[in-house]
Amino acid sequence: MATAIPSDIPDASGTTFAQRAVILVSLTFVTMLYTMTVMIANVALPKMQGTFAATTDQIALVVTFNIVATAVMTPASGWLASRFSRRSLMFWCAVGFTAASFLCGVAQSLEELVLYRILQGGFGAPLVPLAQATILDTFPRHQHGTATAVFSMGVVFGPIIGPTVGGFLAEELGWRWVFFLLVPFGLIAITAILLVIQDRRRSGSMRLDWFGFLTLSVAIASFQFMLDRGQRLDWFDSPEIVIEAIVAALAFYLFLAHVATAEKPFLNLAMFRDRNYALGCTIMFLFGMVLWTPMVLFPPMMANIQGYPEAEIGVFMALRGLGTLVASIVMAFINRMFDPRLLLTVGFVLQGVAAAYMGAFDINLSPFALAWTSLLAGFGVGFIWVPITLITFRTLDRAFMNEATAMYHLIRNVGSSIFISVTIALVIRTTAAGYTELVPFVSIFAEANSLFALRGDWPTDSERALAGLGAEIKRQATMLGYINAFYLYAATCFAIIPFVFMVKYRRAEA
């Protein structure tokens, strides 16, 4: 059994237990600040649309450009940290993020708001990978599990707290307060970085591989635009989507060819020679695919199928966060007792079981069923963050840490973007197919329904009654669409498990 570490005795890294604890808490807070923005603007989009008299496609740019800016700047955070030091980069990113959040709140036009959202995403993107890299370097390997359990709370809670609180503020005070909410948190984060982060290491002579950076940026940006706008433009029936797909594929090919032959490429692919890092990134990509699925599907399903108010939807989203919190606390105590591959398997099984039961939802959407499946899915998420981090970075050379954490989070974000687009497309398309298949069963001309109106099943004696019947068929078909999406979610969770057992793991010594 490991002995307690006195708080005033430095370890090999030169920091005491108390100092490491302060760093961990501070960086967890900084991480939560940024991740709050992942979905916080979504809840206020209808009100923004009214303010700027924008179309649905125009207001969607508020989200799209923020995602693209985040995706482009995430892989650059490794080079920036090495060039300017982690402390400097985190400080200026926090300052820029806070200022951009305030400017979003005072924007007077849609163009201004989109510009400030780009700045918000660009400045915020390096915060999470840099925070994780700092924590992994600060704590000895045998404490990575406990540190990651705490850190994961910031990663997961931000996207849950943001929409919940943001929805209330947007309803009571207006959409601008969704962004003003971030300003005081940003000021606290800036202060914490100045007081706590001391890592000033940098490589002043390190040059940026511009060709590698630009080709990767173009590939990521084009791919993200394709995913975000694909469903609205009917995917490859749209010339825009075809062009974006071609540009993304070509730019990515040029990037791979360049980094494979350049002497000092933008990203050193040598880190993928580490078996565990490569497998860990693969698992993280798949985990990213299922991470936000319930948060994307639950709100529109609850609002459109049963008319749940926004406040109650926020409560159910918070229940998922509660499940993650409980699991993270448990993981802080048990992560060293069990093989992380076993814990990962448990996490994905729990999510898969929850998703399978979501696939059994009926049109009535029982509050109890919504609550316990949200809790279980959140609990499964909490069981995944710690072991996947232990596996991914266990054997990796620390010289790659800045680049490796940036790529790790980029891969997770890309996985999330792909699966969100796929599930939304699945819901919309299977809803349309379901509507087409259900209509013949309620036709008054069908032999089985010859006494349809006489039985009182549904009045059909007026246009209004027929319109109501059509709306009910649409509601039933939409539920079928969500059920199909939940079954895909469940199948993906279970399909990840075989990759877990490809990992080689040896427990680190204290």
Side-chain angles (χ1 to χ4, degrees):
M1 180 179 294
T3 57
I5 301 175
S7 61
D8 58 343
I9 299 178
D11 72 344
S13 67
T15 57
T16 65
F17 177 78
Q19 289 172 325
R20 295 196 296 273
V22 171
I23 291 172
L24 175 59
V25 171
S26 300
L27 291 181
T28 299
F29 179 84
V30 171
T31 299
M32 187 177 72
L33 164 70
Y34 172 68
T35 56
M36 284 174 66
T37 66
V38 173
M39 295 185 181
I40 196 171
N42 297 44
V43 298
L45 284 180
K47 297 185 184 299
M48 295 180 198
Q49 185 175 359
T51 299
F52 299 119
T55 65
T56 301
D57 274 358
Q58 288 173 334
I59 203 63
L61 297 178
V62 172
V63 175
T64 302
F65 276 98
N66 180 266
I67 294 173
V68 170
T70 299
V72 168
M73 289 306 298
T74 296
S77 60
W79 177 85
L80 290 169
S82 298
R83 179 67 176 80
F84 300 106
S85 85
R86 288 178 186 169
R87 185 178 192 268
S88 296
L89 181 57
M90 291 186 73
F91 170 74
W92 287 112
C93 282
V95 170
F97 175 84
T98 304
S101 298
F102 175 78
L103 292 172
C104 286
V106 299
Q108 297 302 307
S109 68
L110 180 60
E111 292 77 12
E112 285 185 24
L113 180 58
V114 170
L115 173 61
Y116 299 145
R117 284 283 285 170
I118 292 173
L119 294 176
Q120 189 185 48
F123 278 113
L127 291 175
V128 177
L130 286 183
Q132 184 174 38
T134 301
I135 289 171
L136 293 176
D137 275 349
T138 300
F139 284 80
R141 289 190 186 271
H142 69 275
Q143 292 180 353
H144 280 182
T146 302
T148 302
V150 177
F151 177 73
S152 66
M153 296 181 190
V155 177
V156 176
F157 274 121
I160 294 172
I161 295 173
T164 303
V165 178
F168 173 80
L169 290 175
E171 188 68 30
E172 298 296 326
L173 300 175
W175 65 265
R176 297 182 187 276
W177 283 91
V178 169
F179 298 106
F180 291 150
L181 166 69
L182 300 172
V183 174
F185 288 102
L187 295 175
I188 296 172
I190 292 169
T191 304
I193 291 170
L194 286 175
L195 294 177
V196 173
I197 306 303
Q198 301 300 322
D199 189 345
R200 292 180 169 87
R201 292 173 296 170
R202 62 177 183 172
S203 302
S205 61
M206 189 174 181
R207 294 184 178 181
L208 177 63
D209 171 18
W210 282 103
F211 186 83
F213 172 70
L214 291 176
T215 51
L216 181 59
S217 298
V218 170
I220 293 172
S222 300
F223 187 63
Q224 288 286 352
F225 272 117
M226 182 188 76
L227 291 175
D228 189 76
R229 295 175 58 78
Q231 181 57 43
R232 286 195 295 273
L233 299 180
D234 202 19
W235 292 102
F236 292 102
D237 287 337
S238 164
E240 177 188 327
I241 300 302
V242 172
I243 291 172
E244 287 166 353
I246 293 173
V247 170
L250 178 60
F252 189 62
Y253 169 77
L254 292 174
F255 168 75
L256 288 178
H258 174 74
V259 297
T261 56
E263 183 178 350
K264 294 182 178 180
F266 173 62
L267 285 176
N268 192 341
L269 298 185
M271 58 188 173
F272 286 100
R273 294 173 185 166
D274 184 289
R275 175 188 175 92
N276 276 13
Y277 180 75
L279 281 171
C281 285
T282 302
I283 297 170
M284 176 51 80
F285 173 80
L286 297 171
F287 175 48
M289 292 176 67
V290 300
L291 178 59
W292 306 123
T293 300
M295 291 192 65
V296 171
L297 296 179
F298 265 41
M301 179 185 71
M302 294 171 67
N304 297 333
I305 300 298
Q306 280 292 333
Y308 279 87
E310 291 181 358
E312 290 189 22
I313 294 174
V315 170
F316 284 101
M317 294 299 98
L319 285 175
R320 185 171 185 269
L322 177 61
T324 302
L325 173 62
V326 173
S328 297
I329 294 173
V330 172
M331 288 299 296
F333 292 97
I334 72 169
N335 70 85
R336 296 191 64 196
M337 300 179 185
F338 300 97
D339 188 316
R341 292 170 293 188
L342 174 62
L343 297 175
L344 262 182
T345 301
V346 170
F348 285 120
V349 167
L350 290 176
Q351 284 208 90
V353 170
Y357 274 95
M358 291 174 191
F361 283 165
D362 61 28
I363 197 70
N364 296 316
L365 287 179
S366 159
F368 177 74
L370 289 167
W372 81 259
T373 52
S374 294
L375 276 168
L376 186 61
F379 195 77
V381 168
F383 259 72
I384 291 171
W385 276 108
V386 174
I388 197 173
T389 301
L390 293 178
I391 284 172
T392 305
F393 297 99
R394 174 67 77 192
T395 58
L396 186 69
D397 188 334
R398 293 201 177 199
F400 294 124
M401 196 59 74
N402 287 336
E403 291 177 291
T405 52
M407 182 57 65
Y408 182 70
H409 287 281
L410 172 65
I411 287 171
R412 184 200 72 198
N413 290 336
V414 170
S416 296
S417 296
I418 291 174
F419 206 68
I420 287 171
S421 297
V422 168
T423 52
I424 291 175
L426 179 63
V427 170
I428 292 173
R429 291 177 181 271
T430 55
T431 294
Y435 185 87
T436 302
E437 292 176 2
L438 287 174
V439 166
F441 289 98
V442 296
S443 170
I444 60 174
F445 300 105
E447 182 178 350
N449 297 318
S450 58
L451 300 179
F452 185 70
L454 297 178
R455 292 201 311 263
D457 293 339
W458 198 285
T460 58
D461 55 353
S462 67
E463 291 184 6
R464 182 176 180 181
L466 290 174
L469 177 59
E472 177 61 21
I473 296 172
K474 176 71 177 295
R475 192 170 77 103
Q476 299 280 350
T478 302
M479 191 66 218
L480 292 176
Y482 284 114
I483 288 171
N484 288 332
F486 287 132
Y487 279 133
L488 176 62
Y489 170 34
T492 306
C493 288
F494 290 120
I496 298 173
I497 295 174
F499 290 94
V500 174
F501 292 95
M502 297 180 186
V503 173
K504 293 181 179 180
Y505 181 80
R506 183 173 59 84
R507 189 171 300 278
E509 297 297 329

